[in-house]
Every structure is written in C-alpha cells, then in structure tokens.
Amino acid sequence: DYVNSIEPVRIAQDVATYVPSTHFPEIMHLYGIGDHGGGPTRSMLDSALRWENPKAVFPRLTFSTAQSFFDDVDKSLNHLKLPVWDNELYLQYHRGTYTTQSETKRLVRRSEEVLLNAEKFSSLAMLDGRTYPLQQFEDSWKRLLFEQFHDILPGSGIAQNYVDAAKSLGVVGLAGHKIMSGALRTLAARISTEGPGVPVVLFNSLSWPRTDVTEAKVQFPAPISAVEVRDATGEVLPSAIVARDDATRTLDVRFIARSVPAMGYEVVRVVPVTELHPAASTLKASADGMENEFIRLRIDPKTGCITSLVDKKDGHETLAPGSCANLLQAFEDKPKEYDAWNINPNYEQHGWDLMDAEEAKLVENTPARAVIRVRKKFQNSSFVQDICMYPGVPRVDVHMQADWHEEHIMLKVAFPVSVESSFATYEIPYGTIQRPTTRNTPEQRAMFEVPALRWGDLSDSTHGFSLLNASKYGYDAKGQVIRLTLLRSPTWPDPHADQGFHEFTYALYPHSGGWREAQTERRGYELNYPLIPLAVEAHQGALPSRDSFVEIEPANVILTAVKKAEDSDGLVFRFYEFEGKSSEVTLKFPRPATRAVSANLMEKDAAALSLEGNGGEVTVPIHPYEIMTVKAWFGTKASN
C-alpha cells in the first residue's frame, strides 16, 4: 500500500493470500509513510522489534533487503507458480494527472527541448573552441528535474507550486536560449553567408533532413516594401511578410524551408525586391477548405468541424463517413476522490459536443500558410482554433487558444476515423506501446485514459491517422475515435487550477500504411522541435552554405542528445531504436575522431569501437528499443 504500518493482522492476511497463490513461503513487506518524505516511523520500528520476537504468535519477521528476498525467490523458481504480466504497469488510478495544470506541463516540455538543443549546439561549438557551460547545464537540469517532482508535474499540488514552477522554468528557458544563441553564433561564424540581402542560417536540431515552416526576424538598412526568400541554391521559397516595423526597418518573414540537412544547417537569404514574383506553392485555400500536395481538408462553416481529410497519395478519406472531426467535447469532471488526480470511469455520461461555431472563416492565405479560424464558446469559456496548412508539409497544425473559466469540466478534442483496429499505438519514452480500443474486459475498461508523449495513432494495414501534440499527455482511443485531452479544472488542492488563458498546438497527420511506414515518430519530433533561424551579417567562411554536422542511419534510430562528457573532453552521442527491430547503426561525427567507445547511461566506458572513414564514423549494432551511448574524442581540450 501507499502507507504501510507493521501491523500483525494485516501482514498475516497478506501472507495468507500470497503464499497459496505462489507456493513461496516468504513475502516482502514494504513499510513506511509513502508521502512527504516520512519513511519509517519510530512506532513502526518498535512494532517490528516486538513482533520479530520468536515467541510471538506471528509469521516470522526479519529486517532484510529487497536483494535478499529476490535471491531466495531465484533459488525456488523451478517449483514456484509465479504470475507473469507481459505489459505496462498501467496505474488504474490518478489518470487526471496527465492533464491537470496544463501550463506547467507545457513549460516543462519546452524546457526539456531547449536544453537538449542547447547541449547539441554547445557540443559542436566546443569543437570550434567555445567554452562548454557544463555548470550552467547542471544547474538548469537540476531546476527542471525539481519541477518534475511527483506533485508538481502531475498537477496535484497547491497553487503556490505552480507560481514557483513558472518562475523556475522561466529561468531555465532564459539560460537555455542564451547558451544556445551563443553556440549558434559560434557555428555561424564559420559558415559562408556572402550574397545579396540578409542571410539567415537555419539550424535543424533533428537527425534527419526536414521540410518545415519557420519564421525569421530580419533588419534592413532602409525601409523595404517586398522581399523574397532564396535557399542555398538560389531557388525562391514560398514566403510571406507577417509583420513589419518601419521605425526599425524590421520584418518578420514566414517561409517554407526545404530539406534542411540532418543535425545541420542551411543559409537562406531574405532579399529585397521591387516586384514580387511569389514562388510556386502547392497550397490552395477557400472559405471551407484547403489543400497542399499531401492533404485535402474540408470544414463545415456552421459547426467548425473538419468533415473531410483526404490523403492525396491514394485518395483515401481518413475520417469516418458523416463524422465531425476536430470536435471539442466538454464533460462533467467530478472525481469521487482526489480532485486533481482522478477522472471517473463514467465521465462520458454527462457531456456536451460543441457543434456550433461562432465563426469559421479563412483568415490567412499566403504562399507559405493558409489558416481557417474557428471560434466557439462553452458556458464561461471561449476557444479559437487556427487550422493551419503549409506547402510541402504533410500535417495540419491546430494552434489553439482557450480562455478557460470552468470548474469540474474536462475538455477533449475528438477525431472519428475510417480505420478499424483493436488497438491504438502511442509514443512512450524511447519506444511505443499498443493499447486496446475495445472495452470488453476489466483491464480494457480500466484504460479509458492513457498517457503518451508526442503522439497517438490509429492505423490498420493500409491507412492511419496520427494525432500529434506539442505539450499534452492524456489520450484515449475507443472504437474508431481517438481523442486528446486538452484541459480540466479541478478545485482541490488548487481552487483555481488552469483558470485563464492557454495556448497550445496539436496536429493531424493522415497517412498511408501504419505508423512505422508513415514515420510518425519523426513527425512528432518535428512538431516539437521547430527549425531555428538566426539572422547574421554576410561574411566569408570555411563551411559551405548547407551541411550536416552529425548524421545517423537507419531511419528507425533517432539521435536525442549530443553533449560533453561529464568527466572528460569527449562528446557523448545518445540515440535509440524505436521500431522494435535490430539494426546496424552508422554514426557520422562532426569531424574525424581520435578514439570512440560505447558507454552505458552513466557514461562509463564499455567497449572500444573501430573508427571508419578516416575516423569520421563508427558502426554499432543496436537491439530493439535499445538506448545506445557512444563517446568520442576529437583531439581538442575543452574548457568549462
């Protein structure tokens, strides 16, 4: 239990239940106060000493260790009837913690991402002689991890927790961005950026080439009326000016960057023009729909619902016939106990579908982005859903704003799809898991709300739909409907939990085949790790206008971290396999290495690796779902 005393009747009952079912005459009893750091109490220890007496009429009790217990079990394995559970240890309780205190969860996600990006680029800049801020990283990670304490990140603490968390995570964000900015400028100084207009170095922190939308702020020596954005080859990219400040001659320019190199960069140029000739764009939009080369989408202006979502690769309709997708649903949310922690299994008995749109209209239609804005209200709350599509990008982003003023209400967004499957797949740390879409057994009925990281997916053998998110953690899938939990509003222990303004993003990704063939794992990372633009001055440099610093293959492996080793001048490269298959991984270094080893998660050397390609790469085997660490040295001495 959560709080276990040393009480003879209770322990005797546990032994009486446990021993006949396992044929093992020992039980490990964990005692102590399970919350608030209390541990064992004096009265518990006094009780244990009393009942440890051999003269007591009681099962024999001995102070010991977990290892001793499992050593005894190991000796008896051949004749024991031990139950086997081959699945996750799903907690059938506290499901509300995936969603409560939404803003803190968003700040934690952003903080994780900025620190990982800052580590990657600081590691590369270290090879160019820049000091690696080891102590600053340690301080920032400790701050971030403190906010992942079990009553802060889950949202189950008092109000002051989240005031303090916002301040602390703000410090983390500022430190991370400052470190990253310095590292990026060190790298950009070596890149050739000569040419017309204002050069912008676009950095890609992910380990594969990607096409995505980005936005850069650029300043000119004189007022500018129009610009075009050109890539490293001189090709004009789809773009649009989204804001201007004539007083400072500054423009905010949104554009589509194509195939930015893996863990690398590309120099694009924002060039003033007297006559604008927009780049060819695959994007088309109207008042009730939009499409690009990948997706065609239709919206009902009366309801704001997405009524059609076609994968243009084969013309497949992703949504169930006659359905309303991107549907906001509100439910009465009054847990029987532990308000911030729990969701009742029968919450769906009292709910509302938000089927009336105050407004659904096209508010932006440029070569770089089209936006249909849907406005809705519910009781005391209002919502804006900006449904966004871009040329060259195979997903639909929904940037949502919520002015939330409810109590004991939960908000979800629902997508009825045309595929049928007995399970949905979700991203979990360094892997995936399948969970049932049926509710036929007690186990299945218990899984009415499940946790996930960046995506959940419903697929059959030929088609599927992935629901991506940038800051949420609660999902459910039942039958042909997959939903993301957006907000909830408990009143205890924080009477004003999540009241007020929220802004967050989720995305729709219809695809052919299953999530593996569709590379959903990559799409989830792309939504969470945007391209990083850096406007610089034109200058000469030894590096070309586009290149990769680090590359990794095959596609079922993702490089998550590059950092300085804690106790040496080497760099640590950490990656994992996510499709569940053994592979040979080729890791290409930013420059020739002098030595490389495999290591464990604590960065302890395991085995020497053979350098290939004049020291520029290594090849290592990886097992299904394995997290692999490679440590390499480059003949440079780092300063901290």
Side-chain angles (χ1 to χ4, degrees):
D1 203 351
Y2 197 51
V3 178
N4 268 343
S5 63
I6 298 179
E7 193 275 319
V9 174
R10 166 67 188 273
I11 296 178
Q13 289 172 339
D14 288 347
V15 170
T17 300
Y18 176 86
V19 172
S21 65
T22 62
H23 290 188
F24 189 63
E26 297 179 18
I27 185 170
M28 180 168 60
H29 180 75
L30 305 175
Y31 58 93
I33 304 297
D35 207 350
H36 313 297
T41 65
R42 288 180 179 274
S43 63
M44 289 178 188
L45 299 178
D46 289 342
S47 180
L49 291 173
R50 176 186 175 191
W51 296 109
E52 192 181 33
N53 189 327
K55 297 179 180 179
V57 182
F58 187 69
R60 184 169 62 85
L61 187 152
T62 305
F63 284 109
S64 188
T65 64
Q67 186 61 57
S68 296
F69 171 78
F70 288 115
D71 287 344
D72 288 351
V73 171
D74 195 50
K75 296 172 186 175
S76 306
L77 279 179
N78 290 336
H79 67 270
L80 296 183
K81 295 194 303 180
L82 294 182
V84 175
W85 181 260
D86 185 11
N87 207 326
E88 64 180 315
L89 296 177
Y90 174 79
L91 179 64
Q92 298 184 8
Y93 206 44
H94 291 355
R95 301 168 183 87
T97 60
Y98 315 151
T99 303
T100 308
Q101 299 287 359
S102 169
E103 180 62 12
T104 299
K105 290 175 167 61
R106 188 187 70 84
L107 290 173
V108 166
R109 178 85 67 93
R110 296 282 83 81
S111 298
E112 292 170 344
E113 291 159 357
V114 71
L115 288 184
L116 287 170
N117 280 347
E119 283 185 339
K120 287 179 180 178
F121 294 117
S122 293
S123 300
L124 297 170
M126 186 184 83
L127 298 181
D128 289 336
R130 183 178 177 84
T131 297
Y132 188 90
L134 191 65
Q135 189 59 51
Q136 289 176 264
F137 276 127
E138 182 169 337
D139 293 344
S140 294
W141 279 115
K142 284 180 176 179
R143 275 185 178 270
L144 171 56
L145 292 171
F146 182 87
E147 304 308 333
Q148 298 188 3
F149 171 75
H150 84 263
D151 272 327
I152 301 177
L153 183 58
S156 48
I158 62 173
Q160 189 62 38
N161 279 358
Y162 307 102
V163 175
D164 294 345
K167 292 178 181 178
S168 186
L169 292 169
V171 172
V172 173
L174 286 172
H177 282 291
K178 183 177 180 180
I179 293 169
M180 184 166 64
S181 177
L184 294 179
R185 292 194 177 279
T186 295
L187 296 172
R190 297 186 60 232
I191 300 169
S192 174
T193 61
E194 291 183 303
V198 177
V200 176
V201 184
L202 272 183
F203 289 95
N204 174 16
S205 65
L206 300 178
S207 56
W208 57 90
R210 57 187 292 206
T211 296
D212 219 325
V213 64
T214 190
E215 191 174 311
K217 185 181 290 292
V218 292
Q219 188 175 37
F220 293 90
I224 298 297
S225 59
V227 297
E228 63 185 23
V229 180
R230 302 172 186 170
D231 68 11
T233 68
E235 183 177 353
V236 178
L237 302 172
S239 67
I241 296 173
V242 295
R244 66 169 66 239
D245 184 345
D246 291 334
T248 61
R249 306 170 305 283
T250 300
L251 299 179
D252 289 353
V253 183
R254 180 181 297 121
F255 59 96
I256 303 301
R258 294 177 178 147
S259 195
V260 182
M263 190 62 199
Y265 66 90
E266 178 172 12
V267 179
V268 301
R269 316 198 64 80
V270 183
V271 182
V273 292
T274 54
E275 187 175 354
L276 190 61
H277 298 285
S281 175
T282 58
L283 190 59
K284 301 175 184 177
S286 63
D288 62 353
M290 48 190 170
E291 64 180 290
N292 61 14
E293 65 267 47
F294 300 106
I295 302 167
R296 183 169 63 248
L297 176 150
R298 291 290 174 265
I299 289 179
D300 179 352
K302 294 182 179 179
T303 63
C305 294
I306 297 176
T307 56
S308 177
L309 190 65
V310 174
D311 179 359
K312 291 175 67 174
K313 183 176 182 179
D314 59 6
H316 177 76
E317 174 58 69
T318 301
L319 302 182
S323 65
C324 169
N326 200 35
L327 173 63
L328 294 178
Q329 295 180 307
F331 299 95
E332 188 176 83
D333 185 23
K334 295 181 177 178
K336 294 179 180 178
E337 56 184 357
Y338 297 116
D339 201 9
W341 290 257
N342 288 345
I343 299 173
N344 279 350
N346 62 350
Y347 74 89
E348 289 182 288
Q349 293 180 3
H350 301 94
W352 304 264
D353 290 347
L354 278 58
M355 294 291 289
D356 296 323
E358 287 192 325
E359 176 184 80
K361 69 177 184 180
L362 183 68
V363 296
E364 182 178 328
N365 186 11
T366 71
R369 187 174 80 164
V371 181
I372 294 178
R373 178 167 295 163
V374 176
R375 295 183 184 271
K376 292 188 174 184
K377 278 191 174 180
F378 172 74
Q379 296 186 161
N380 301 310
S381 301
S382 59
F383 312 101
V384 177
Q385 294 171 302
D386 280 354
I387 303 169
C388 308
M389 190 177 285
Y390 322 94
V393 180
R395 67 173 196 268
V396 179
D397 293 349
V398 182
H399 299 303
M400 184 165 167
Q401 297 177 345
D403 190 13
W404 183 247
H405 299 284
E406 308 301 324
E407 289 186 356
H408 292 120
I409 296 292
M410 178 167 57
L411 185 70
K412 286 178 172 278
V413 62
F415 294 87
V417 297
S418 59
V419 300
E420 294 188 32
S421 176
S422 59
F423 61 86
T425 305
Y426 302 90
E427 185 192 19
I428 58 175
Y430 305 99
T432 59
I433 195 166
Q434 294 178 351
R435 295 172 175 136
T437 59
T438 53
R439 302 292 186 265
N440 299 327
T441 66
E443 174 198 344
Q444 293 176 357
R445 287 190 289 273
M447 301 182 79
F448 61 84
E449 182 87 356
V450 296
L453 287 184
R454 287 166 283 254
W455 57 268
D457 179 88
L458 265 177
S459 296
D460 58 23
S461 59
T462 58
H463 298 95
F465 173 79
S466 300
L467 179 54
L468 318 175
N469 80 84
S471 63
K472 302 298 178 182
Y473 295 91
Y475 280 82
D476 76 274
K478 182 180 180 182
Q480 293 177 259
V481 179
I482 185 169
R483 298 187 295 196
L484 180 67
T485 308
L486 303 176
L487 292 167
R488 60 190 304 262
S489 46
T491 59
W492 181 78
D494 177 2
H496 305 293
D498 276 332
Q499 299 293 309
F501 181 77
H502 297 267
E503 194 166 13
F504 46 83
T505 299
Y506 56 91
L508 330 178
Y509 177 44
H511 57 79
S512 300
W515 65 268
R516 291 179 176 86
E517 294 84 356
Q519 296 187 319
T520 291
E521 186 88 345
R522 288 185 170 187
R523 303 293 89 81
Y525 271 92
E526 288 166 0
L527 183 68
N528 280 266
Y529 289 85
L531 294 167
I532 306 168
L534 179 67
V536 298
E537 294 183 355
H539 59 257
Q540 295 181 340
L543 297 180
S545 57
R546 54 177 282 136
D547 202 3
S548 287
F549 294 114
V550 183
E551 296 178 73
I552 193 167
E553 294 179 335
N556 59 310
V557 173
I558 289 179
L559 179 72
T560 58
V562 182
K563 61 184 288 290
K564 180 187 174 296
E566 295 296 314
D567 56 1
S568 76
D569 295 326
L571 288 188
V572 169
F573 301 83
R574 183 160 289 134
F575 47 93
Y576 73 100
E577 198 286 324
F578 63 87
E579 287 189 3
K581 59 185 181 183
S582 297
S583 302
E584 290 289 317
V585 177
T586 298
L587 174 65
K588 295 183 180 180
F589 296 129
R591 62 181 57 177
T594 57
R595 184 165 71 94
V597 299
S598 62
N600 63 16
L601 290 175
M602 298 300 292
E603 302 181 10
K604 303 300 182 185
D605 296 0
L609 297 175
S610 298
L611 293 171
E612 304 165 4
N614 295 320
E617 63 184 57
V618 293
T619 300
V620 294
I622 196 168
H623 300 298
Y625 306 114
E626 183 177 8
I627 303 171
M628 174 70 72
T629 302
V630 168
K631 191 160 49 169
W633 288 262
F634 298 92
T636 58
K637 184 173 179 58
S639 58
N640 293 322

